[in-house]
């Protein structure tokens, strides 16, 4: 054990040491990774890890994809067939979900895609592709005032004071004092709950300016301090 410590600790620029440091930053939010180091870590992951989807994981992913597609078709039918999805749910989306799941496992240097990788790939799909789809559909039929409301499209008027207060209330609930979280994930969670992502990002910036929240790790992480 002492020999392994000296081998990685003695050369902080070795591929293994870079990978270990990158994993520490990703899991704890402590420290920073500069762009050259991140590039080395990505190259290391590509060279050393080729994760594969197990049969069980593949079944979970496939059934989830079918459910999403059925839900989209059901919503279209409920709209009388007049509303068309802005983003078609095709086999390409399934292939993309497989690639994202494999990439998530690769970042951990895990040779097998785990259930949490599938869950995260599906979450990203729902809060990006599906949310954008819903926003486009809502925005095309909403009035200018409705477009500025939480859960409407990402476009619209400048946020009102009431919208900002609601977004700040969500952020205070989601960010416990002392907690360190990924900023993008917080915004995505808010969007998934019906808040306007642009309003939430604006509210977060205001809280940073007031000193309630601190940005860390090149503004990728946020910590609530009071």
């Amino acid at each position: 054990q002492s020999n392994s410590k000296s081998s990685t600790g003695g050369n902080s620029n070795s591929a293994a040491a870079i990978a270990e440091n990158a994993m520490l930053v990703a899991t704890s939010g402590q420290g920073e990774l500069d762009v050259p180091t991140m590039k080395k870590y990505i190259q290391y992951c590509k060279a050393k890890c080729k994760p594969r989807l197990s049969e069980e994981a593949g079944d979970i992913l496939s059934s989830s994809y079918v459910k999403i597609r059925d839900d989209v078709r059901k919503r279209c039918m409920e709209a009388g067939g007049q509303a068309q999805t802005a983003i078609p749910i095709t086999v390409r989306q399934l292939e993309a979900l497989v690639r994202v799941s494999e990439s998530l496992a690769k970042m951990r240097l895990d040779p097998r895609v785990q259930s949490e990788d599938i869950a995260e790939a599906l979450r990203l799909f729902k809060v990006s592709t599906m949310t954008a789809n819903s926003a486009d559909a809502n925005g095309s039929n909403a009035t200018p005032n409705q477009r500025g409301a939480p859960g409407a499209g990402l476009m619209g008027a400048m946020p009102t004071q009431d919208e900002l207060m609601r977004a700040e209330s969500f952020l205070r609930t989601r960010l416990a004092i002392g907690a360190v979280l990924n900023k993008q994930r917080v915004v995505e969670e808010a969007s998934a709950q019906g808040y306007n992502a642009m309003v939430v990002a604006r509210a977060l910036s205001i809280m940073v300016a007031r000193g309630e929240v601190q940005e860390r790790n090149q503004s990728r992480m946020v910590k609530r301090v009071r």
Side-chain angles (χ1 to χ4, degrees):
Q1 185 176 0
S2 59
N3 291 338
S4 62
K5 286 184 178 180
S6 61
S7 62
T8 56
N11 182 8
S12 60
N13 291 323
S14 68
I18 290 173
E20 182 178 352
N21 182 48
M23 289 295 293
L24 178 64
V25 173
T27 56
S28 68
Q30 302 297 320
E32 293 187 359
L33 289 178
D34 54 31
V35 174
T37 302
M38 179 58 73
K39 287 181 177 180
K40 289 181 181 179
Y41 177 63
I42 293 172
Q43 291 172 354
Y44 181 81
C45 290
K46 287 181 177 179
K48 296 294 184 180
C49 189
K50 304 291 182 183
R52 288 292 177 265
L53 205 65
S54 67
E55 183 175 351
E56 180 182 1
D59 289 341
I60 295 173
L61 188 56
S62 178
S63 61
S64 299
Y65 163 78
V66 170
K67 184 179 184 302
I68 292 173
R69 186 164 183 168
D70 288 344
D71 288 345
V72 171
R73 185 181 294 111
K74 182 180 178 181
R75 286 198 297 269
C76 287
M77 292 178 64
E78 289 175 350
Q82 297 178 356
Q84 299 295 325
T85 55
I87 302 171
I89 310 302
T90 66
V91 70
R92 286 192 175 185
Q93 274 70 40
L94 178 59
E95 293 171 350
L97 287 168
V98 171
R99 289 194 297 270
V100 171
S101 300
E102 292 175 346
S103 297
L104 290 167
K106 187 177 293 187
M107 287 194 298
R108 296 194 315 276
L109 299 175
D110 194 331
R112 293 180 64 84
V113 175
Q114 305 295 335
S115 58
E116 57 264 31
D117 299 318
I118 296 174
E120 177 64 6
L122 288 167
R123 185 190 71 82
L124 291 171
F125 177 77
K126 290 176 181 177
V127 301
S128 58
T129 305
M130 298 301 293
T131 300
N133 190 14
S134 298
D136 287 341
N138 291 336
S140 62
N141 298 319
T143 65
N145 289 334
Q146 289 173 328
R147 288 178 188 142
L154 295 183
M155 300 185 300
M158 291 292 292
T160 65
Q161 189 65 27
D162 185 54
E163 290 166 357
L164 289 171
M165 289 176 62
R166 287 198 297 267
E168 287 187 27
S169 178
F170 166 83
L171 291 169
R172 292 190 184 95
T173 302
R174 183 64 184 88
L175 282 168
I177 295 177
V180 179
L181 297 175
N182 183 283
K183 181 168 67 174
Q184 182 61 28
R185 176 168 293 188
V186 171
V187 174
E188 289 175 351
E189 288 180 4
S191 178
Q193 294 187 30
Y195 291 87
N196 186 307
M198 299 297 290
V199 174
V200 174
R202 175 62 178 160
L204 191 55
S205 298
I206 292 173
M207 294 175 71
V208 170
R210 284 202 300 252
E212 292 183 54
V213 175
Q214 292 178 348
E215 292 183 324
R216 295 188 169 189
N217 198 7
Q218 299 178 353
S219 299
R220 289 190 293 269
M221 311 293 290
V222 289
K223 177 181 179 180
R224 186 179 171 194
V225 293
R226 62 181 178 85

